[in-house]
Amino acid sequence: MASSSGRGTRVVVCAYHNVGFRCLEELLKQGADVRLVFTHEDSPTEEIWFQSVRELAQRHGIPYLTSDINEPANVAKVREIAPDFLFSFYYRNMITPEVLDIPRKGALNLHGSYLPKYRGRVPVNWAVINGETETGATLHHMVEKPDAGDIVDREKVPIAFTDTSFDVFTKVTDAAVTVISRSYPLLVAGTAPRIPMNLVEGNYCGGRRPADGLIDWTKSAVQIYNLIRGVTHPYPGAFTYLDGKKILVWSARPLPGSAEPGVVVTEDPLVVGTGEGLLEITSLQLEGGDEVAAGSFSAIVHPAGKRFANP
């Protein structure tokens, strides 16, 4: 049963994506008086596979804006509300110190990693690409430096070797709700812990672009496999080239053995040499075509002996 300790506590929420949806939903269950929500317009170039914060706000009759919270008119609105708390749940804009200073009891961000590890952008994708075996969700106070303020609470989640970034993001979203559920009553009561973040124990990662999915066949089969599962659906995908044509690789698995990097060893199964080990590609797509199983691709293209490489 949701706690009622947060009732009457004025809150402004900046939110987007599934983490934003689920954490806002949890605040409402906890009885938070959410006066205003800032969210984003969906990008026409992005696959929208996640829940809509805007629709959740509409359902609860909460005013929302898709303009930047840092715009002067919006800063004035936040000042007028005089919130006790400001929460940021996967909001994509950096929030200025001017805004962070407004809430009386604190401005807090939910980050999709076990801080201080993987500060910065797309932490779930980076954790999978780097072959991590765990990550998490962290609620922390916001300061001018991103993902650097005192930690309130955090929850670890495991990353299985077969998990894609989508699988891990689902786990992180559940962990984020757990953290908000535990932390919000303590924040309202003024008893929540503040643990200084030791940045030297962690790392900072930048954003990723679709172009960063290019496969380097001189890397090990495991490294390439981690890239593929780190950027597969619903993300833009890992890719390579065959006979100058772009090929998207959606799923694969590493195998023991050796062969020259990028060279196709067998067609069915579709096995390719790497810098260390072999990689079996199981699902792929010729750009502009449909995603197919590797056997169907090989029956048409006959890639044996050819090399996947940059154009």
Side-chain angles (χ1 to χ4, degrees), residues 220-263:
S220 73
V222 170
Q223 287 175 307
I224 296 169
Y225 166 72
N226 288 339
L227 171 66
I228 291 166
R229 68 190 180 107
V231 297
T232 192
H233 301 301
Y235 301 100
F239 65 94
T240 185
Y241 292 86
L242 185 67
D243 294 334
K245 297 177 181 177
K246 185 176 181 180
I247 307 290
L248 292 156
V249 180
W250 294 113
S251 63
R253 65 190 183 107
L255 299 174
S258 63
E260 193 174 342
V263 170

Side-chain angles (χ1 to χ4, degrees), residues 131-145:
E132 300 288 356
T133 58
E134 65 179 18
T135 186
T138 304
L139 184 68
H140 66 94
H141 286 268
M142 285 188 280
V143 293
E144 185 173 4
K145 190 178 181 72

Side-chain angles (χ1 to χ4, degrees), residues 112-189:
S113 76
Y114 198 78
L115 288 175
K117 292 183 178 179
Y118 291 95
R119 296 168 51 239
R121 301 288 185 179
V122 293
V124 167
N125 302 80
W126 276 118
V128 175
I129 289 166
N130 289 341
E132 300 288 356
T133 58
E134 65 179 18
T135 186
T138 304
L139 184 68
H140 66 94
H141 286 268
M142 285 188 280
V143 293
E144 185 173 4
K145 190 178 181 72
D147 308 324
D150 292 349
I151 293 169
V152 173
D153 193 8
R154 53 189 173 174
E155 178 84 1
K156 285 185 178 180
V157 300
I159 301 176
F161 188 64
T162 54
D163 279 345
T164 66
S165 286
F166 178 81
D167 297 326
V168 179
F169 193 85
T170 300
K171 296 179 187 180
V172 167
T173 301
D174 290 341
V177 175
T178 297
V179 167
I180 296 300
S181 176
R182 284 196 303 240
S183 300
Y184 184 68
L186 300 179
L187 288 164
V188 171

Side-chain angles (χ1 to χ4, degrees), residues 54-67:
R54 180 197 309 215
E55 290 177 7
L56 181 61
Q58 287 175 326
R59 196 182 313 157
H60 288 270
I62 301 168
Y64 69 88
L65 293 166
T66 57
S67 51

Side-chain angles (χ1 to χ4, degrees), residues 83-140:
D84 296 291
F85 292 103
L86 170 70
F87 288 99
S88 175
F89 304 134
Y90 268 63
Y91 189 64
R92 292 178 171 179
N93 298 338
M94 289 291 296
I95 301 174
T96 62
E98 179 187 13
V99 177
L100 299 180
D101 287 341
I102 296 173
R104 188 169 60 88
K105 294 185 176 180
L108 298 105
N109 175 59
L110 193 291
H111 186 71
S113 76
Y114 198 78
L115 288 175
K117 292 183 178 179
Y118 291 95
R119 296 168 51 239
R121 301 288 185 179
V122 293
V124 167
N125 302 80
W126 276 118
V128 175
I129 289 166
N130 289 341
E132 300 288 356
T133 58
E134 65 179 18
T135 186
T138 304
L139 184 68
H140 66 94

